[in-house]
Amino acid sequence: MTVLSGVASALFWGVILLSLLVFVHESGHFLMARAFGVRVTEFFLGMPSRLRLSWKSRRWGTEFGVTPVLLGGYNRICGMEGELDDLLADALGIVQREGRVLASDVAAELGVDEERAYRLLEVLSDMGSIRPFYDPERDEHPGQSEYPAAFETLQRDAAMLTEYDVDHDFSSAGTTPGGSPRPVADAAGLLAADTARTYRGKSFVKRVLILLAGPLVNIALSFVLIVASLTIVGVEVNVNSNTLGGVTSGSLAADAGLMEGDTIMRLGSHDVTSWVSLAEAIDMTLEQGDDFIVAYERDGETFETTVTLPADGQVEAFGVEALLETYHPTFVEAASYALSYVQLVGGTIARLLLPQHTLEIVGQSTSIVGISAMASDAASSGANDLVMFAAAISMSLGFTNLLPVPPLDGGKILIEVVELVRRKPLSTKARSAVSYVGLAFFLFLFVFALRNDVLRIFGQ
Protein backbone atom coordinates (compact mmCIF):
# COMPACT_ATOMS: atom_id res chain seq x y z
CA MET A 1 0.00 0.00 0.00
CA THR A 2 2.87 2.36 0.80
CA VAL A 3 4.44 1.72 -2.61
CA LEU A 4 1.11 2.27 -4.37
CA SER A 5 0.45 5.50 -2.48
CA GLY A 6 3.96 6.69 -3.35
CA VAL A 7 3.42 5.96 -7.04
CA ALA A 8 0.02 7.67 -6.96
CA SER A 9 1.49 10.74 -5.25
CA ALA A 10 4.35 10.96 -7.76
CA LEU A 11 1.93 10.57 -10.68
CA PHE A 12 -0.42 13.23 -9.29
CA TRP A 13 2.20 15.86 -8.55
CA GLY A 14 4.16 15.10 -11.71
CA VAL A 15 1.07 15.59 -13.87
CA ILE A 16 0.00 18.75 -12.01
CA LEU A 17 3.44 20.37 -12.11
CA LEU A 18 4.35 19.55 -15.70
CA SER A 19 0.89 20.41 -16.99
CA LEU A 20 1.00 23.85 -15.36
CA LEU A 21 4.49 24.57 -16.66
CA VAL A 22 3.58 23.47 -20.19
CA PHE A 23 0.44 25.63 -19.96
CA VAL A 24 2.61 28.62 -19.03
CA HIS A 25 4.98 27.82 -21.90
CA GLU A 26 2.20 27.59 -24.48
CA SER A 27 0.60 30.74 -23.06
CA GLY A 28 3.75 32.62 -24.00
CA HIS A 29 3.47 31.50 -27.62
CA PHE A 30 -0.26 32.22 -27.69
CA LEU A 31 -0.10 35.71 -26.21
CA MET A 32 2.78 36.79 -28.44
CA ALA A 33 1.04 35.42 -31.53
CA ARG A 34 -2.18 37.21 -30.67
CA ALA A 35 -0.28 40.43 -29.90
CA PHE A 36 0.96 40.36 -33.51
CA GLY A 37 -2.50 39.58 -34.88
CA VAL A 38 -1.70 35.97 -35.78
CA ARG A 39 -4.64 33.59 -35.95
CA VAL A 40 -4.64 30.79 -33.35
CA THR A 41 -7.35 28.16 -33.86
CA GLU A 42 -6.69 25.99 -30.76
CA PHE A 43 -5.04 26.28 -27.36
CA PHE A 44 -5.23 23.06 -25.34
CA LEU A 45 -3.78 21.78 -22.11
CA GLY A 46 -2.94 18.15 -22.84
CA MET A 47 -1.96 16.34 -26.00
CA PRO A 48 -4.37 16.12 -28.98
CA SER A 49 -7.24 13.75 -28.30
CA ARG A 50 -10.81 13.16 -29.50
CA LEU A 51 -11.92 13.41 -25.88
CA ARG A 52 -11.85 17.04 -24.84
CA LEU A 53 -13.57 19.75 -22.88
CA SER A 54 -13.45 23.07 -24.67
CA TRP A 55 -14.84 26.57 -25.06
CA LYS A 56 -14.55 28.84 -28.09
CA SER A 57 -13.71 32.50 -27.69
CA ARG A 58 -16.15 34.74 -29.55
CA ARG A 59 -13.50 37.46 -29.81
CA TRP A 60 -10.55 35.42 -31.07
CA GLY A 61 -12.25 32.30 -32.44
CA THR A 62 -9.69 30.22 -30.54
CA GLU A 63 -10.93 26.97 -29.03
CA PHE A 64 -9.59 26.70 -25.48
CA GLY A 65 -9.75 23.38 -23.70
CA VAL A 66 -8.23 20.41 -21.96
CA THR A 67 -7.73 16.79 -22.97
CA PRO A 68 -7.21 13.70 -20.77
CA VAL A 69 -3.61 13.34 -21.96
CA LEU A 70 -2.33 16.02 -19.63
CA LEU A 71 1.43 15.67 -20.03
CA GLY A 72 1.74 18.37 -22.64
CA GLY A 73 -0.10 21.14 -24.37
CA TYR A 74 -0.26 22.83 -27.73
CA ASN A 75 -1.28 25.85 -29.79
CA ARG A 76 -2.39 25.68 -33.38
CA ILE A 77 -0.85 28.90 -34.63
CA CYS A 78 -1.97 29.46 -38.20
CA GLY A 79 0.61 29.39 -40.97
CA MET A 80 3.29 27.22 -39.37
CA GLU A 81 2.77 24.09 -41.47
CA GLY A 82 2.97 23.15 -45.12
CA GLU A 83 4.71 24.59 -48.16
CA LEU A 84 3.68 27.53 -50.30
CA ASP A 85 2.29 26.59 -53.70
CA ASP A 86 1.51 28.66 -56.78
CA LEU A 87 -1.99 27.13 -56.87
CA LEU A 88 -3.00 28.14 -53.34
CA ALA A 89 -4.95 31.19 -54.51
CA ASP A 90 -6.75 29.14 -57.18
CA ALA A 91 -7.70 26.48 -54.63
CA LEU A 92 -8.98 29.14 -52.23
CA GLY A 93 -11.01 30.72 -55.02
CA ILE A 94 -12.65 27.37 -55.79
CA VAL A 95 -13.67 26.79 -52.17
CA GLN A 96 -15.00 30.35 -51.87
CA ARG A 97 -17.03 29.92 -55.07
CA GLU A 98 -18.52 26.54 -54.14
CA GLY A 99 -18.91 26.97 -50.38
CA ARG A 100 -18.19 23.29 -49.87
CA VAL A 101 -16.18 21.15 -52.27
CA LEU A 102 -14.57 17.71 -52.50
CA ALA A 103 -10.79 17.56 -52.68
CA SER A 104 -11.18 15.33 -55.74
CA ASP A 105 -13.17 18.08 -57.50
CA VAL A 106 -10.48 20.65 -56.65
CA ALA A 107 -7.88 18.29 -58.14
CA ALA A 108 -9.92 17.86 -61.29
CA GLU A 109 -10.47 21.61 -61.80
CA LEU A 110 -6.82 22.47 -61.18
CA GLY A 111 -5.55 19.56 -63.29
CA VAL A 112 -3.45 18.07 -60.45
CA ASP A 113 -3.49 14.78 -58.60
CA GLU A 114 -5.52 14.43 -55.39
CA GLU A 115 -2.38 14.32 -53.24
CA ARG A 116 -1.40 17.81 -54.32
CA ALA A 117 -4.99 19.03 -53.98
CA TYR A 118 -5.07 17.79 -50.42
CA ARG A 119 -1.76 19.54 -49.67
CA LEU A 120 -3.23 22.79 -50.98
CA LEU A 121 -6.38 22.44 -48.88
CA GLU A 122 -4.40 21.42 -45.79
CA VAL A 123 -2.24 24.54 -46.08
CA LEU A 124 -5.33 26.73 -46.46
CA SER A 125 -6.90 25.04 -43.44
CA ASP A 126 -3.75 25.57 -41.42
CA MET A 127 -3.88 29.26 -42.39
CA GLY A 128 -7.42 29.58 -41.03
CA SER A 129 -8.75 30.42 -44.50
CA ILE A 130 -11.02 27.37 -44.88
CA ARG A 131 -11.85 24.36 -42.74
CA PRO A 132 -12.34 20.60 -43.19
CA PHE A 133 -15.95 19.42 -43.46
CA TYR A 134 -16.57 16.20 -41.55
CA ASP A 135 -19.56 14.47 -43.10
CA PRO A 136 -21.32 12.06 -40.71
CA GLU A 137 -22.84 10.28 -43.70
CA ARG A 138 -19.30 9.34 -44.70
CA ASP A 139 -18.58 8.31 -41.10
CA GLU A 140 -16.17 11.24 -40.77
CA HIS A 141 -15.53 12.99 -37.48
CA PRO A 142 -13.18 15.64 -36.02
CA GLY A 143 -10.03 14.10 -34.60
CA GLN A 144 -9.78 11.34 -37.20
CA SER A 145 -6.29 10.55 -38.45
CA GLU A 146 -6.96 11.71 -42.03
CA TYR A 147 -8.53 14.80 -43.52
CA PRO A 148 -12.15 14.36 -44.73
CA ALA A 149 -13.18 14.27 -48.35
CA ALA A 150 -14.50 17.84 -48.44
CA PHE A 151 -13.53 21.33 -47.30
CA GLU A 152 -15.69 24.41 -46.83
CA THR A 153 -15.61 28.16 -46.35
CA LEU A 154 -15.44 29.88 -42.97
CA GLN A 155 -17.89 32.48 -41.77
CA ARG A 156 -16.66 35.86 -43.00
CA ASP A 157 -17.91 39.38 -42.38
CA ALA A 158 -18.28 42.15 -44.93
CA ALA A 159 -14.52 42.82 -44.81
CA MET A 160 -13.75 39.08 -45.35
CA LEU A 161 -12.51 38.71 -41.77
CA THR A 162 -12.96 35.29 -40.14
CA GLU A 163 -13.77 34.42 -36.53
CA TYR A 164 -10.00 34.15 -35.89
CA ASP A 165 -9.48 37.84 -36.70
CA VAL A 166 -10.00 40.03 -33.65
CA ASP A 167 -11.72 42.88 -35.53
CA HIS A 168 -14.39 40.73 -37.20
CA ASP A 169 -18.01 41.91 -37.06
CA PHE A 170 -20.51 39.19 -37.90
CA SER A 171 -23.42 41.52 -37.13
CA SER A 172 -22.63 43.62 -40.18
CA ALA A 173 -24.49 43.33 -43.48
CA GLY A 174 -22.67 41.15 -45.95
CA THR A 175 -21.65 38.44 -43.45
CA THR A 176 -21.84 34.92 -44.88
CA PRO A 177 -22.02 31.74 -42.76
CA GLY A 178 -19.47 28.94 -42.95
CA GLY A 179 -20.10 26.39 -45.66
CA SER A 180 -21.85 28.87 -47.96
CA PRO A 181 -20.53 30.24 -51.25
CA ARG A 182 -18.69 33.58 -51.08
CA PRO A 183 -17.11 34.08 -54.52
CA VAL A 184 -14.21 36.52 -54.73
CA ALA A 185 -12.97 38.37 -57.79
CA ASP A 186 -9.40 38.49 -56.49
CA ALA A 187 -8.48 35.17 -54.86
CA ALA A 188 -4.81 36.14 -54.82
CA GLY A 189 -5.65 39.30 -52.90
CA LEU A 190 -7.72 37.33 -50.36
CA LEU A 191 -4.88 34.84 -49.96
CA ALA A 192 -2.41 37.68 -49.36
CA ALA A 193 -4.72 39.26 -46.77
CA ASP A 194 -5.17 35.92 -44.98
CA THR A 195 -1.44 35.19 -45.12
CA ALA A 196 -0.71 38.54 -43.44
CA ARG A 197 -2.69 37.26 -40.43
CA THR A 198 -0.64 34.08 -40.06
CA TYR A 199 2.77 33.18 -38.67
CA ARG A 200 4.20 32.88 -42.17
CA GLY A 201 3.00 36.35 -43.07
CA LYS A 202 4.86 38.10 -40.24
CA SER A 203 8.38 39.48 -40.36
CA PHE A 204 11.41 37.45 -39.32
CA VAL A 205 11.68 39.36 -36.03
CA LYS A 206 8.03 38.75 -35.11
CA ARG A 207 8.27 35.05 -35.96
CA VAL A 208 11.33 34.68 -33.75
CA LEU A 209 9.61 36.56 -30.92
CA ILE A 210 6.64 34.19 -31.14
CA LEU A 211 9.01 31.22 -30.84
CA LEU A 212 11.02 32.82 -28.02
CA ALA A 213 7.96 33.73 -25.99
CA GLY A 214 7.34 30.21 -24.64
CA PRO A 215 10.82 29.57 -23.21
CA LEU A 216 11.19 33.16 -21.98
CA VAL A 217 7.89 32.98 -20.07
CA ASN A 218 9.12 29.80 -18.35
CA ILE A 219 12.37 31.53 -17.36
CA ALA A 220 10.50 34.64 -16.22
CA LEU A 221 8.11 32.51 -14.13
CA SER A 222 11.05 30.80 -12.47
CA PHE A 223 12.65 34.16 -11.72
CA VAL A 224 9.42 35.48 -10.15
CA LEU A 225 8.89 32.34 -8.04
CA ILE A 226 12.45 32.43 -6.70
CA VAL A 227 12.29 36.13 -5.81
CA ALA A 228 8.86 35.75 -4.21
CA SER A 229 9.94 32.75 -2.15
CA LEU A 230 13.13 34.39 -0.91
CA THR A 231 11.52 37.72 -0.01
CA ILE A 232 8.24 36.39 1.43
CA VAL A 233 9.19 33.05 2.99
CA GLY A 234 12.88 33.78 3.49
CA VAL A 235 15.78 31.41 3.99
CA GLU A 236 17.23 29.79 7.07
CA VAL A 237 20.73 30.97 7.98
CA ASN A 238 23.11 30.08 10.78
CA VAL A 239 23.13 32.33 13.85
CA ASN A 240 26.63 33.17 15.02
CA SER A 241 25.85 31.96 18.56
CA ASN A 242 27.48 29.44 20.90
CA THR A 243 24.04 28.04 21.76
CA LEU A 244 23.41 24.71 20.05
CA GLY A 245 20.61 24.48 17.54
CA GLY A 246 20.73 20.70 17.49
CA VAL A 247 22.74 17.61 18.40
CA THR A 248 23.09 14.64 16.05
CA SER A 249 21.87 11.36 17.52
CA GLY A 250 24.69 8.88 18.18
CA SER A 251 27.41 11.50 17.81
CA LEU A 252 30.24 12.32 20.22
CA ALA A 253 28.27 15.34 21.46
CA ALA A 254 25.16 13.25 22.11
CA ASP A 255 27.17 10.54 23.91
CA ALA A 256 28.64 13.26 26.14
CA GLY A 257 25.12 14.36 27.12
CA LEU A 258 24.98 17.64 25.20
CA MET A 259 21.50 18.72 24.08
CA GLU A 260 19.82 21.26 21.84
CA GLY A 261 19.71 24.63 23.61
CA ASP A 262 22.95 24.11 25.57
CA THR A 263 25.33 27.07 25.46
CA ILE A 264 28.96 26.01 25.08
CA MET A 265 31.30 28.11 27.26
CA ARG A 266 34.55 26.23 26.82
CA LEU A 267 35.66 23.29 24.70
CA GLY A 268 39.00 21.71 25.62
CA SER A 269 41.42 24.57 26.21
CA HIS A 270 39.47 27.07 24.09
CA ASP A 271 36.94 29.64 25.30
CA VAL A 272 33.82 29.79 23.15
CA THR A 273 31.68 32.89 22.56
CA SER A 274 30.16 32.32 19.10
CA TRP A 275 29.44 29.65 16.52
CA VAL A 276 32.57 30.60 14.60
CA SER A 277 34.76 30.22 17.69
CA LEU A 278 33.00 26.94 18.56
CA ALA A 279 33.66 25.51 15.10
CA GLU A 280 37.33 26.52 15.32
CA ALA A 281 37.64 25.02 18.81
CA ILE A 282 36.12 21.73 17.65
CA ASP A 283 38.52 21.45 14.69
CA MET A 284 41.63 22.22 16.75
CA THR A 285 40.65 19.99 19.66
CA LEU A 286 39.71 16.97 17.54
CA GLU A 287 43.02 17.24 15.67
CA GLN A 288 44.84 16.62 18.97
CA GLY A 289 43.17 13.21 19.26
CA ASP A 290 42.73 13.31 23.07
CA ASP A 291 39.66 13.22 25.28
CA PHE A 292 38.56 16.69 26.33
CA ILE A 293 36.17 18.52 28.65
CA VAL A 294 33.26 20.69 27.54
CA ALA A 295 31.85 23.34 29.85
CA TYR A 296 28.29 24.38 29.01
CA GLU A 297 25.31 26.20 30.42
CA ARG A 298 21.81 24.70 30.65
CA ASP A 299 18.80 26.33 32.26
CA GLY A 300 21.01 28.92 33.97
CA GLU A 301 23.37 26.34 35.48
CA THR A 302 26.91 25.49 34.39
CA PHE A 303 27.99 21.89 33.81
CA GLU A 304 31.01 20.01 32.53
CA THR A 305 31.17 16.79 30.58
CA THR A 306 34.00 14.69 29.20
CA VAL A 307 34.05 13.80 25.54
CA THR A 308 35.66 10.41 24.98
CA LEU A 309 37.18 9.86 21.55
CA PRO A 310 37.19 6.43 19.84
CA ALA A 311 40.21 4.22 20.49
CA ASP A 312 41.33 4.52 16.86
CA GLY A 313 41.06 8.32 17.01
CA GLN A 314 38.91 8.40 13.87
CA VAL A 315 36.25 11.12 14.22
CA GLU A 316 34.16 12.35 11.29
CA ALA A 317 32.24 15.04 13.18
CA PHE A 318 31.49 16.26 16.67
CA GLY A 319 27.76 16.26 15.96
CA VAL A 320 26.44 19.72 16.83
CA GLU A 321 24.35 22.10 14.71
CA ALA A 322 24.08 25.87 14.73
CA LEU A 323 20.98 27.81 15.66
CA LEU A 324 18.98 28.87 12.62
CA GLU A 325 16.94 31.96 11.93
CA THR A 326 14.83 33.04 9.00
CA TYR A 327 16.35 35.82 6.92
CA HIS A 328 14.29 37.76 4.38
CA PRO A 329 16.52 39.07 1.59
CA THR A 330 15.72 42.40 0.02
CA PHE A 331 14.27 42.43 -3.49
CA VAL A 332 17.66 43.38 -4.91
CA GLU A 333 19.38 40.52 -3.05
CA ALA A 334 16.72 38.02 -4.12
CA ALA A 335 16.83 39.21 -7.73
CA SER A 336 20.61 38.96 -7.73
CA TYR A 337 20.41 35.36 -6.52
CA ALA A 338 17.74 34.55 -9.13
CA LEU A 339 19.91 36.02 -11.90
CA SER A 340 22.84 33.94 -10.72
CA TYR A 341 20.62 30.85 -10.93
CA VAL A 342 19.53 31.84 -14.44
CA GLN A 343 23.19 32.01 -15.49
CA LEU A 344 23.97 28.67 -13.82
CA VAL A 345 21.12 26.77 -15.48
CA GLY A 346 21.66 28.45 -18.85
CA GLY A 347 25.35 27.60 -18.78
CA THR A 348 24.66 24.00 -17.79
CA ILE A 349 22.11 23.46 -20.58
CA ALA A 350 24.43 25.09 -23.13
CA ARG A 351 27.22 22.64 -22.20
CA LEU A 352 24.92 19.85 -23.36
CA LEU A 353 25.84 20.80 -26.93
CA LEU A 354 29.57 20.45 -26.28
CA PRO A 355 30.60 16.84 -27.07
CA GLN A 356 33.17 16.76 -24.25
CA HIS A 357 30.45 17.63 -21.70
CA THR A 358 27.35 15.94 -23.16
CA LEU A 359 27.61 12.67 -21.23
CA GLU A 360 28.54 14.53 -18.04
CA ILE A 361 25.41 16.70 -18.22
CA VAL A 362 23.18 13.80 -19.29
CA GLY A 363 24.50 11.79 -16.36
CA GLN A 364 23.17 14.48 -14.02
CA SER A 365 19.78 14.77 -15.72
CA THR A 366 16.45 13.24 -14.80
CA SER A 367 13.44 12.09 -16.79
CA ILE A 368 9.75 12.67 -16.24
CA VAL A 369 9.82 9.75 -13.80
CA GLY A 370 12.43 11.40 -11.60
CA ILE A 371 10.73 14.80 -11.88
CA SER A 372 7.45 13.27 -10.71
CA ALA A 373 9.10 11.56 -7.75
CA MET A 374 10.90 14.76 -6.74
CA ALA A 375 7.71 16.79 -7.16
CA SER A 376 5.97 14.43 -4.74
CA ASP A 377 8.82 14.77 -2.22
CA ALA A 378 8.78 18.56 -2.55
CA ALA A 379 5.01 18.68 -2.03
CA SER A 380 5.28 16.56 1.12
CA SER A 381 7.95 18.95 2.44
CA GLY A 382 5.70 21.98 2.14
CA ALA A 383 4.32 24.55 -0.26
CA ASN A 384 7.52 26.58 -0.42
CA ASP A 385 9.64 23.56 -1.34
CA LEU A 386 7.16 22.73 -4.10
CA VAL A 387 7.28 26.32 -5.38
CA MET A 388 11.09 26.31 -5.49
CA PHE A 389 11.10 22.93 -7.23
CA ALA A 390 8.60 24.25 -9.79
CA ALA A 391 10.92 27.22 -10.33
CA ALA A 392 13.85 24.89 -10.99
CA ILE A 393 11.91 22.76 -13.48
CA SER A 394 10.45 25.82 -15.21
CA MET A 395 13.93 27.27 -15.61
CA SER A 396 15.27 24.00 -17.05
CA LEU A 397 12.25 23.69 -19.38
CA GLY A 398 12.79 27.21 -20.66
CA PHE A 399 16.49 26.84 -21.41
CA THR A 400 16.11 23.33 -22.82
CA ASN A 401 13.57 24.65 -25.32
CA LEU A 402 16.12 27.25 -26.44
CA LEU A 403 18.55 24.57 -27.59
CA PRO A 404 19.04 24.88 -31.38
CA VAL A 405 17.71 21.38 -31.95
CA PRO A 406 14.44 20.81 -33.86
CA PRO A 407 11.64 20.35 -32.99
CA LEU A 408 12.36 22.56 -29.96
CA ASP A 409 11.69 26.29 -30.19
CA GLY A 410 15.42 26.95 -30.46
CA GLY A 411 15.58 24.53 -33.38
CA LYS A 412 12.73 26.35 -35.12
CA ILE A 413 14.55 29.62 -34.61
CA LEU A 414 17.64 28.04 -36.17
CA ILE A 415 15.56 27.05 -39.20
CA GLU A 416 14.24 30.61 -39.43
CA VAL A 417 17.82 31.91 -39.46
CA VAL A 418 18.86 29.38 -42.12
CA GLU A 419 15.92 30.38 -44.29
CA LEU A 420 16.75 34.06 -43.82
CA VAL A 421 20.30 33.44 -45.02
CA ARG A 422 19.14 31.24 -47.91
CA ARG A 423 16.37 33.73 -48.76
CA LYS A 424 13.97 30.87 -49.37
CA PRO A 425 12.18 28.35 -47.12
CA LEU A 426 13.38 24.84 -46.49
CA SER A 427 11.31 22.10 -48.06
CA THR A 428 8.95 20.02 -45.92
CA LYS A 429 11.22 17.04 -46.58
CA ALA A 430 14.28 18.90 -45.27
CA ARG A 431 12.39 20.13 -42.20
CA SER A 432 11.18 16.61 -41.46
CA ALA A 433 14.67 15.15 -41.81
CA VAL A 434 16.13 17.70 -39.39
CA SER A 435 13.27 17.10 -36.94
CA TYR A 436 13.87 13.33 -37.01
CA VAL A 437 17.51 13.90 -36.09
CA GLY A 438 16.44 16.13 -33.21
CA LEU A 439 13.88 13.59 -32.01
CA ALA A 440 16.50 10.85 -32.09
CA PHE A 441 18.81 13.02 -29.97
CA PHE A 442 16.12 13.62 -27.37
CA LEU A 443 15.11 9.97 -27.37
CA PHE A 444 18.71 9.19 -26.44
CA LEU A 445 18.59 11.79 -23.66
CA PHE A 446 15.28 10.43 -22.36
CA VAL A 447 16.49 6.83 -22.25
CA PHE A 448 19.71 7.84 -20.50
CA ALA A 449 17.85 10.04 -17.98
CA LEU A 450 15.28 7.28 -17.35
CA ARG A 451 18.14 4.88 -16.62
CA ASN A 452 19.52 7.38 -14.10
CA ASP A 453 16.13 7.57 -12.39
CA VAL A 454 15.67 3.81 -12.22
CA LEU A 455 19.11 3.34 -10.67
CA ARG A 456 18.54 6.19 -8.24
CA ILE A 457 15.03 5.07 -7.18
CA PHE A 458 15.98 1.44 -6.67
CA GLY A 459 19.28 2.37 -5.02
CA GLN A 460 21.59 0.52 -7.34
Side-chain angles (χ1 to χ4, degrees):
M1 185 62 71
T2 302
V3 173
L4 290 177
S5 63
V7 171
S9 177
L11 181 63
F12 173 80
W13 287 109
V15 168
I16 292 295
L17 178 64
L18 292 174
S19 295
L20 288 175
L21 294 181
V22 169
F23 176 80
V24 169
H25 179 93
E26 294 299 328
S27 294
H29 292 309
F30 172 80
L31 293 173
M32 189 64 74
R34 290 306 309 172
F36 292 142
V38 175
R39 296 169 174 172
V40 183
T41 58
E42 296 181 15
F43 180 6
F44 272 79
L45 177 60
M47 302 304 290
S49 170
R50 288 182 58 186
L51 300 176
R52 56 174 63 186
L53 293 174
S54 64
W55 162 82
K56 177 167 282 194
S57 167
R58 294 182 62 183
R59 182 185 181 195
W60 293 330
T62 306
E63 184 180 4
F64 297 92
V66 60
T67 74
V69 192
L70 282 177
L71 291 179
Y74 66 93
N75 282 298
R76 292 200 185 278
I77 298 176
C78 292
M80 295 192 76
E81 304 295 334
E83 293 184 24
L84 297 178
D85 191 302
D86 293 339
L87 294 179
L88 277 175
D90 295 331
L92 178 58
I94 293 172
V95 179
Q96 289 296 133
R97 185 191 69 215
E98 300 297 328
R100 182 177 299 150
V101 63
L102 294 173
S104 56
D105 291 340
V106 173
E109 183 168 344
L110 294 178
V112 299
D113 56 44
E114 284 194 26
E115 182 179 353
R116 185 176 179 185
Y118 263 109
R119 286 201 303 270
L120 293 168
L121 295 169
E122 287 170 11
V123 171
L124 292 172
S125 296
D126 177 66
M127 290 173 58
S129 295
I130 63 173
R131 68 188 178 195
F133 172 69
Y134 297 95
D135 189 349
E137 294 185 1
R138 295 175 181 269
D139 197 27
E140 296 172 341
H141 54 80
Q144 65 186 39
S145 59
E146 298 178 348
Y147 271 103
F151 291 76
E152 65 180 8
T153 57
L154 292 174
Q155 184 177 22
R156 290 182 183 262
D157 68 8
M160 295 302 289
L161 298 179
T162 72
E163 62 183 318
Y164 305 121
D165 303 317
V166 71
D167 296 324
H168 70 265
D169 181 9
F170 293 151
S171 64
S172 62
T175 295
T176 52
S180 64
R182 180 74 178 269
V184 290
D186 183 10
L190 177 59
L191 178 66
D194 280 355
T195 300
R197 299 183 180 96
T198 68
Y199 173 85
R200 184 182 290 113
K202 300 303 176 181
S203 67
F204 168 79
V205 172
K206 289 182 178 180
R207 294 198 302 270
V208 169
L209 286 175
I210 291 172
L211 295 174
L212 280 175
L216 293 184
V217 167
N218 277 126
I219 295 171
L221 172 66
S222 177
F223 182 89
V224 170
L225 290 178
I226 291 172
V227 171
S229 175
L230 292 177
T231 55
I232 297 173
V233 179
V235 291
E236 289 190 332
V237 296
N238 289 348
V239 178
N240 191 24
S241 169
N242 53 333
T243 298
L244 301 181
V247 176
T248 305
S249 177
S251 65
L252 289 177
D255 292 342
L258 295 176
M259 300 172 57
E260 177 183 348
D262 290 346
T263 300
I264 308 299
M265 312 301 295
R266 187 174 180 80
L267 190 144
S269 60
H270 305 279
D271 291 329
V272 175
T273 58
S274 64
W275 177 255
V276 173
S277 61
L278 173 59
E280 292 174 349
I282 290 173
D283 290 341
M284 290 186 290
T285 302
L286 290 180
E287 285 180 1
Q288 296 175 2
D290 299 324
D291 299 344
F292 55 91
I293 295 175
V294 176
Y296 62 96
E297 184 180 287
R298 178 186 298 169
D299 298 329
E301 298 185 43
T302 301
F303 302 91
E304 288 188 351
T305 184
T306 300
V307 177
T308 303
L309 301 184
D312 59 6
Q314 298 297 316
V315 179
E316 294 184 1
F318 185 47
V320 295
E321 300 171 6
L323 278 174
L324 298 176
E325 68 176 3
T326 301
Y327 172 69
H328 295 271
T330 65
F331 175 81
V332 173
E333 291 173 331
S336 177
Y337 174 82
L339 285 175
S340 296
Y341 186 65
V342 170
Q343 294 173 347
L344 174 64
V345 175
T348 300
I349 298 298
R351 291 171 64 196
L352 189 63
L353 298 176
L354 302 176
Q356 65 269 34
H357 295 297
T358 300
L359 290 180
E360 173 194 348
I361 302 302
V362 172
Q364 301 169 0
S365 62
T366 187
S367 70
I368 187 174
V369 175
I371 291 174
S372 298
M374 289 186 284
S376 176
D377 291 341
S380 64
S381 298
N384 187 57
D385 284 353
L386 182 59
V387 166
M388 291 298 280
F389 181 71
I393 298 302
S394 185
M395 185 77 74
S396 296
L397 179 63
F399 276 111
T400 298
N401 266 281
L402 288 176
L403 288 174
V405 181
L408 298 180
D409 296 319
K412 294 176 182 177
I413 292 173
L414 177 62
I415 290 176
E416 289 285 350
V417 172
V418 170
E419 291 181 339
L420 180 67
V421 173
R422 296 178 73 239
R423 296 185 179 181
K424 63 178 181 179
L426 291 175
S427 66
T428 300
K429 184 176 181 180
R431 284 173 173 262
S432 298
V434 173
S435 294
Y436 285 139
V437 173
L439 287 172
F441 174 68
F442 279 100
L443 179 61
F444 160 73
L445 294 184
F446 173 79
V447 172
F448 208 108
L450 182 61
R451 171 184 174 276
N452 293 342
D453 291 334
V454 171
L455 294 179
R456 181 164 50 246
I457 293 173
F458 291 99
Q460 298 180 5

